[in-house]
């Protein structure tokens, strides 16, 4: 499918009222939320209110369907922010906590298109205007010099040939890290191998090769393993180097490193929201969808899909009863969705049984609140040598609403930290995070942070700490923690276990970051892309003439396309990529 893009100013759908926003499709007068082309009386039950469910509801309501979203816990799912209970004083709201910090890379295209269609007073482009580009990233080392990298940088002018791309990448990596020049050159060559690989090789060879094996991380220096084999997976894209497929990790590298000029990007390389997620995005989204006619049921946990006449005839929902609709969109996390695959469902869609092979792990956040401003980085910081693969961002410098307007009024900053590795022993207690009490998790995180940040100057002071807050999805069970919000982890060969957005059950559709998408990673972009695919399939099944959702594919460096043509011929003949040199 050819890559498609939208101009920044495009207004395809509603910005305030359906009649104003669906002009190209034709609105039915006097019937808010009903667009020409959608058959009347078509109801959709969206099961799950995270990014995938809200995205599906958004696209469906604009196309004239009757939509109800059923959500068990909280709208926004893993993307939501969470108030720290009991911290608000004197009319101020509770301190903002969250599942974990998140960012919106410039190569995201589908999710930003949805964000532009969520109106906010004073914002020409809706909540999309609440995205802020961070100017730098810091790579902090324990007992070593830290690196602050300007973003997006000056790019690689003239990098249009394989030789220039390889040499420039190698020189940049050597300059920014402590890797020996020969290892930097080797890694640059591996990137070139992947970027010049054809689609058949990506799916036939690299999908079944782990990133660690692809870069030969086990045979390289400690510095190489820390930066290339580990940091680019567990820290940057929430994956594990010994498990993740080269096709997926290489694809992300292709976006971050293969497009250094940001050509065709939606915005800056690294963007974050300018306030707590619910304030800046989720709450306006839900309010907007309500205004369009979407109905919401909170506290509604889906327990069973009822099969009748080879279709889904109902959904049994705790607290609601049996819900009947014409179409059902399962937009729940993979570990919840696959619980719905009863023998009756699997008899109609046996391929869904493969979802049991999809792997989930933990990546959760902890916030530390400070009484004084922090001066660590004007963007994200990766703690390269931390056994728990920590990353952080200090929020007050980026938010339009200062943290002093929350809680008791004395909080001046918040360091929002992601713990990406819950299974490796820490430096303080010698235990993995999964086996630590909440207090031990905080103290262990503090020890790893200060080992990185205070080795040259004291950037973190215990006396400045106001309080801390661990993701409430983590609960202590007496001997180890349980996690209500695990994350789908990419593994080599997992593409075959991922379902399509629409399978053999005519009125059942799947949306979530585990569904087959171009981004192929547990991301908000993947959730949004899968919802668009589910809606398009639903439109096809229903016979609707409403416009289909546009889906933008990841960018490929056009200068390397001739090499991919050559590689397609080489792969068909059983030959390696032309740059794939013997180790």
């Amino acid at each position: 499918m050819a890559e498609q893009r939208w101009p920044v100013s495009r207004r395809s759908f509603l910005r305030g009222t359906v009649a104003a926003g669906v002009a190209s499709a034709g609105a039915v007068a006097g019937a808010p939320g009903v667009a020409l082309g959608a058959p009347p009386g078509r109801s959709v039950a969206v099961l799950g209110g995270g990014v995938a469910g809200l995205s599906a509801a958004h696209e469906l309501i604009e196309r004239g369907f009757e939509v109800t979203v059923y959500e068990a816990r909280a709208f926004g799912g893993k993307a939501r922010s969470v108030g720290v209970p009991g911290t608000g004083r004197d009319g101020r709201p509770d301190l903002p906590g969250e599942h974990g910090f998140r960012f919106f890379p410039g190569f995201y295209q589908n999710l930003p298109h949805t964000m532009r269609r969520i109106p906010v007073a004073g914002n020409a482009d809706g909540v999309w205007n609440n995205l802020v580009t961070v100017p730098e990233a810091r790579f902090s080392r324990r007992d070593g010099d830290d690196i602050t990298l300007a973003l997006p940088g000056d790019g690689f002018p003239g990098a249009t040939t394989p030789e220039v791309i390889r040499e420039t990448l190698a020189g940049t990596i050597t300059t920014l890290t402590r890797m020996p020049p020969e290892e930097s050159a080797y890694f640059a060559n591996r990137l070139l191998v992947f970027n010049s690989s054809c689609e058949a090789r990506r799916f036939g060879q690299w999908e079944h090769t782990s990133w660690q094996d692809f870069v030969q991380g086990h045979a390289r220096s400690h510095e190489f393993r820390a930066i290339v084999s580990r940091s680019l997976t567990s820290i940057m894209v929430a994956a594990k180097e010994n498990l993740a497929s080269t096709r997926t990790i290489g694809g992300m590298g292709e976006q971050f490193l293969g497009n250094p000029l940001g050509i065709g990007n939606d915005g800056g390389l690294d963007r974050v929201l300018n306030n707590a997620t619910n304030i800046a995005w989720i709450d306006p989204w839900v309010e907007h969808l309500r205004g369009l006619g979407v109905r919401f049921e909170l506290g509604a946990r889906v327990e069973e899909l009822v099969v009748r006449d080879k279709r889904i005839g109902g959904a049994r929902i705790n607290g609601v009863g049996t819900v009947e609709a014409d179409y059902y969109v399962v937009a729940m996390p993979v570990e919840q969705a696959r619980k719905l695959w009863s023998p009756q469902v699997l008899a109609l869609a046996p391929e869904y049984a493969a979802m049991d092979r999809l792997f989930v792990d933990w990546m959760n956040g902890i916030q530390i609140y400070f009484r004084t401003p922090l001066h660590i980085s004007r963007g994200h910081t990766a703690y390269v040598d931390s056994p728990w693969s920590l990353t952080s961002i200090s929020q007050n410098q980026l938010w339009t609403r200062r943290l002093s307007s929350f809680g008791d009024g004395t909080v001046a900053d918040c360091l929002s930290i992601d713990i990406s590795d819950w299974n490796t022993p820490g430096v303080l207690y010698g235990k993995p995070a999964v086996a630590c009490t909440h207090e031990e998790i905080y103290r262990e995180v503090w020890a790893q942070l200060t080992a990185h940040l205070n080795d040259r100057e004291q950037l973190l002071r215990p006396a400045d700490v106001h309080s801390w807050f661990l993701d409430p999805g983590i609960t202590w069970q007496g001997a180890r923690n349980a996690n209500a919000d695990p994350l789908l982890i990419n593994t080599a060969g997992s593409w075959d276990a991922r379902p399509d957005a629409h399978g053999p059950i005519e009125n059942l559709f799947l949306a979530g970051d585990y569904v087959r998408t171009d981004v192929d990673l547990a991301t908000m972009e993947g959730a949004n892309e899968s919802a668009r695919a589910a809606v398009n399939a639903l439109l096809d099944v229903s016979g609707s003439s409403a416009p289909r959702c546009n889906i933008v594919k990841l960018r490929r460096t056009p200068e390397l396309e001739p090499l991919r043509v050559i590689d397609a011929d080489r792969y068909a003949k059983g030959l390696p990529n032309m740059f794939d040199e013997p180790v």
Side-chain angles (χ1 to χ4, degrees):
M1 178 177 178
E3 187 177 42
Q4 304 171 54
R5 302 196 178 274
W6 300 283
V8 170
S9 62
R10 174 173 175 166
R11 293 293 179 274
S12 301
F13 296 105
L14 175 67
R15 293 291 303 261
T17 66
V18 169
V22 202
S24 62
V28 177
V34 179
L36 186 65
R42 292 298 188 184
S43 59
V44 184
V46 177
L47 310 179
V51 172
L54 295 179
S55 298
H58 199 155
E59 301 296 344
L60 286 164
I61 199 68
E62 287 185 340
R63 288 162 174 81
F65 287 82
E66 299 173 7
V67 183
T68 304
V69 176
Y70 300 90
E71 166 57 33
R73 294 172 59 206
F75 299 121
K78 295 183 182 71
R80 72 192 186 281
S81 51
V82 183
V84 182
T87 56
R89 299 285 188 278
D90 302 323
R92 286 180 291 267
D94 288 337
L95 286 170
E98 54 193 343
H99 167 72
F101 78 83
R102 60 208 54 82
F103 77 116
F104 301 75
F107 65 82
Y108 281 12
Q109 297 282 347
N110 299 294
L111 183 64
H113 177 252
T114 297
M115 297 177 77
R116 285 189 172 91
R117 291 152 44 213
I118 305 170
V120 173
N123 283 5
D125 285 298
V127 301
W128 182 87
N129 289 125
N130 290 338
L131 292 174
V132 177
T133 298
V134 300
E136 66 185 21
R138 179 172 181 163
F139 294 85
S140 185
R141 306 305 303 268
R142 180 174 183 173
D143 299 325
D145 294 331
D146 293 359
I147 299 163
T148 298
L149 179 64
L151 301 176
D154 297 326
F156 301 152
T160 57
T161 67
E163 291 75 17
V164 173
I165 292 174
R166 181 163 47 191
E167 291 173 6
T168 309
L169 277 172
T172 302
I173 295 166
T174 300
T175 301
L176 295 178
T177 71
R178 296 179 298 195
M179 268 198 291
E182 62 272 16
E183 289 200 330
S184 299
Y186 170 77
F187 177 49
N189 187 74
R190 299 312 288 164
L191 290 176
L192 182 59
V193 168
F194 181 83
N195 288 5
S196 62
S197 290
C198 64
E199 283 296 289
R201 188 183 299 281
R202 293 185 184 208
F203 278 92
Q205 183 177 2
W206 303 140
E207 167 63 22
H208 302 280
T209 304
S210 74
W211 177 251
Q212 185 179 65
D213 287 345
F214 178 73
V215 298
Q216 292 293 299
H218 57 280
R220 299 286 159 180
S221 67
H222 170 77
E223 185 71 9
F224 185 96
R225 292 194 302 272
I227 297 295
V228 172
S229 189
R230 184 165 177 262
S231 294
L232 292 182
T233 51
S234 61
I235 290 180
M236 300 305 294
V237 294
K240 299 182 183 298
E241 72 272 18
N242 62 324
L243 298 176
S245 80
T246 295
R247 185 181 70 83
T248 301
I249 302 304
M252 292 299 97
E254 194 169 18
Q255 306 310 306
F256 283 115
L257 301 174
N259 185 19
L261 296 177
I263 298 170
N265 274 8
D266 177 80
L269 178 65
D270 183 353
R271 298 174 297 178
V272 297
L273 288 166
N274 64 5
N275 213 314
T277 308
N278 276 35
I279 295 173
W281 176 26
I282 302 299
D283 289 348
W285 199 3
V286 172
E287 179 183 0
H288 177 56
L289 295 183
R290 277 201 177 101
L292 296 183
V294 175
R295 293 183 294 274
F296 290 92
E297 293 280 355
L298 189 58
R301 186 176 300 279
V302 184
E303 297 178 333
E304 182 184 3
L305 294 178
V306 180
V307 175
R308 298 190 191 119
D309 299 325
K310 298 184 179 182
R311 292 167 54 89
I312 302 302
R316 293 200 176 107
I317 300 177
N318 183 40
V320 177
T322 299
V323 170
E324 294 186 356
D326 295 295
Y327 305 100
Y328 300 83
V329 179
V330 173
M332 300 155 61
V334 62
E335 71 278 3
Q336 299 298 327
R338 59 193 177 194
K339 293 179 182 178
L340 300 179
W341 307 153
S342 64
Q344 292 78 19
V345 170
L346 292 177
L348 300 177
E351 60 267 43
Y352 290 173
M355 286 172 53
D356 286 340
R357 303 204 308 267
L358 296 177
F359 179 63
V360 295
D361 208 341
W362 296 16
M363 183 176 185
N364 298 67
I366 184 172
Q367 289 80 53
I368 304 177
Y369 304 96
F370 292 81
R371 297 185 181 91
T372 56
L374 298 171
H375 303 285
I376 298 172
S377 170
R378 294 179 298 162
H380 289 102
T381 298
Y383 301 88
V384 176
D385 302 304
S386 61
W388 287 4
S389 296
L390 304 180
T391 48
S392 75
I393 190 165
S394 49
Q395 296 176 324
N396 196 66
Q397 62 183 332
L398 302 165
W399 284 12
T400 55
R401 181 175 180 176
R402 298 304 178 189
L403 279 157
S404 57
S405 67
F406 296 87
D408 62 9
T410 67
V411 172
D413 216 335
C414 171
L415 194 64
S416 184
I417 305 142
D418 254 17
I419 304 171
S420 298
D421 188 335
W422 286 74
N423 299 302
T424 296
V427 299
L428 192 61
Y429 297 104
K431 296 191 295 186
V434 69
C436 289
T437 66
H438 291 189
E439 179 72 24
E440 289 173 337
I441 289 174
Y442 163 67
R443 294 184 180 279
E444 180 70 57
V445 166
W446 181 265
Q448 295 183 33
L449 292 176
T450 54
H452 282 74
L453 294 176
N454 289 359
D455 54 348
R456 295 290 188 270
E457 56 180 317
Q458 193 168 13
L459 296 177
L460 298 180
R461 303 174 187 273
D464 295 334
V465 175
H466 174 280
S467 56
W468 55 271
F469 179 67
L470 182 65
D471 179 0
I474 301 294
T475 55
W476 181 248
Q477 303 293 311
R480 59 190 293 113
N481 288 295
N483 190 346
D485 296 300
L487 184 72
L488 176 70
I489 300 296
N490 178 269
T491 58
S494 62
W495 179 260
D496 292 339
R498 286 176 174 259
D500 290 319
H502 186 221
I505 303 178
E506 183 184 36
N507 66 336
L508 179 64
F509 307 86
L510 308 182
D513 56 21
Y514 64 91
V515 175
R516 286 181 175 178
T517 60
D518 197 45
V519 71
D520 192 41
L521 200 64
T523 59
M524 297 178 291
E525 176 78 350
N528 183 271
E529 181 187 340
S530 70
R532 290 167 179 257
V535 169
N536 285 348
L538 193 154
L539 294 174
D540 291 341
V541 169
S542 70
S544 172
S545 62
R548 270 48 180 172
C549 305
N550 208 356
I551 298 177
V552 179
K553 302 296 185 180
L554 297 176
R555 184 182 185 274
R556 300 285 169 80
T557 307
E559 291 84 1
L560 297 181
E561 189 57 35
L563 299 180
R564 298 186 193 109
V565 174
I566 295 173
D567 190 58
D569 181 65
R570 291 179 63 87
Y571 183 70
K573 294 176 179 177
L575 299 174
N577 180 278
M578 63 189 299
F579 300 105
D580 201 353
E581 303 168 354
V583 178

